Amino acid sequence: MRVIVCENYEEMSKAGARIFAAHVLLYPEAVLGLATGSTPVGLYRELCRMCKAGEIDFSGITTFNLDEYYPISPENPQSYRYFMNENLFDHVNIDKSRTHVPSGMATDPAAECAGYDRQIRAAGGIDLQLLGIGLNGHIGFNEPDGILTTGTHVTALTESTIEANSRFFDSREEVPTRALTMGMETILHARKIVLLANGTAKHPAVKQLLDNTITTHMPATLLKVHPDVTLICDREAYEG
Ligand code: F6R
């Protein structure tokens, strides 16, 4: 795993954005895997700026997001589809029909998940995947457990994640308790992975990511078997 330590959130965001921009420049028809949450907001802001300045072109790009709450409507401001429109898709010249987020409204969520993996395969797989990391080491919504599911699946959120994500909702009771998420196999099939982490709260997770152990009780540690992962973190996440 390559590690890039930046001085602060702004630098981390710009370093990550440069990698995504370079990929979009080199491969105008690339398939990008995207994440939501507070961590990638600065990176998306920078990509929007570069696109507005005419430095990058998203017209041929396809995207697949990691996850979505279930059930949730795409019009709900807390949905990940809404987040992606607000933070990236509405501000760049991407063809929205090429942007994919698992449907939080699917009547058959298991079929939605199987279909999502088929769509990723049909697009040729994910070239560059952006990830954040949960306080408990989750990746996507692959929560710590003795056994993890390989492909995209329906999952129950842990109390720790419901608590952490309640900051985005009016009350804790409004946080959906389930989600649709890419599995660790889907994620590990991405050709390149960029993982962002900032802030002291993420230090324990980053520390375990950089030791020499792997455990499904800390799903991020599975990234250690991938040959092309770049961790970009700020000094707080790196040093605690
Ligand atoms: C988001 C996702 C999650 C977040 C993680 C960190 O699509 O899959 O795994 O990356 O929960 O969230 P933040 O960035 O809000 O700390």
Side-chain angles (χ1 to χ4, degrees):
M1 187 175 306
R2 262 186 306 274
V3 183
I4 300 174
V5 183
C6 300
E7 282 316 310
N8 53 44
Y9 179 78
E10 203 56 31
E11 259 193 40
M12 177 198 78
S13 302
K14 286 188 176 157
R18 278 197 293 274
I19 293 176
F20 274 79
H23 205 83
V24 168
L25 280 170
L26 278 172
Y27 310 104
E29 292 177 0
V31 179
L32 304 180
L34 300 176
T36 59
S38 50
T39 311
V41 169
L43 181 151
Y44 292 147
R45 199 181 301 130
E46 184 63 10
L47 289 182
C48 294
R49 187 196 64 71
M50 292 170 106
C51 190
K52 282 210 177 80
E55 293 168 19
I56 45 174
D57 173 11
F58 280 88
S59 60
I61 296 294
T62 298
T63 66
F64 286 91
N65 262 78
L66 280 169
D67 44 17
E68 177 61 284
Y69 289 116
Y70 188 82
I72 201 161
S73 138
E75 280 85 43
N76 184 323
Q78 303 311 330
S79 76
Y80 288 171
R81 163 54 77 179
Y82 193 98
F83 173 100
M84 288 311 302
N85 288 345
E86 284 277 297
N87 284 282
L88 184 66
F89 301 151
D90 284 345
H91 310 286
V92 295
N93 64 333
I94 200 161
D95 173 356
K96 280 254 183 86
S97 69
R98 288 172 182 268
T99 67
H100 305 86
V101 181
S103 171
M105 299 283 277
T107 43
D108 183 345
E112 168 72 13
C113 292
Y116 202 68
D117 280 337
R118 274 197 302 275
Q119 282 183 297
I120 293 174
R121 277 195 296 276
I126 292 170
D127 296 310
L128 177 60
Q129 175 71 53
L130 178 63
L131 297 176
I133 184 170
L135 295 172
N136 62 4
H138 74 206
I139 290 291
F141 276 129
N142 294 279
E143 299 282 21
D145 206 342
I147 291 178
L148 299 180
T149 305
T150 49
T152 302
H153 59 282
V154 186
T155 187
L157 304 188
T158 59
E159 284 304 312
S160 139
T161 298
I162 292 172
E163 185 63 43
N165 289 10
S166 63
R167 69 189 194 276
F168 300 115
F169 290 81
D170 288 338
S171 71
R172 195 178 189 283
E173 287 62 46
E174 281 179 34
V175 187
T177 54
R178 286 184 294 164
L180 310 183
T181 182
M182 283 186 196
M184 288 309 296
E185 184 186 22
T186 324
I187 295 166
L188 288 167
H189 273 162
R191 294 179 187 93
K192 288 176 185 292
I193 295 177
V194 168
L195 170 61
L196 301 184
N198 70 287
T200 44
K202 295 287 171 75
H203 176 65
V206 167
K207 191 159 169 263
Q208 205 175 342
L209 189 63
L210 296 176
D211 73 14
N212 59 358
T213 61
I214 292 177
T215 167
T216 56
H217 291 286
M218 212 279 191
T221 60
L222 296 180
L223 298 173
K224 296 178 200 189
V225 303
H226 192 284
D228 193 345
V229 178
T230 303
L231 165 68
I232 310 180
C233 57
D234 70 356
R235 197 160 290 286
E236 287 185 347
Y238 189 68
E239 288 173 1

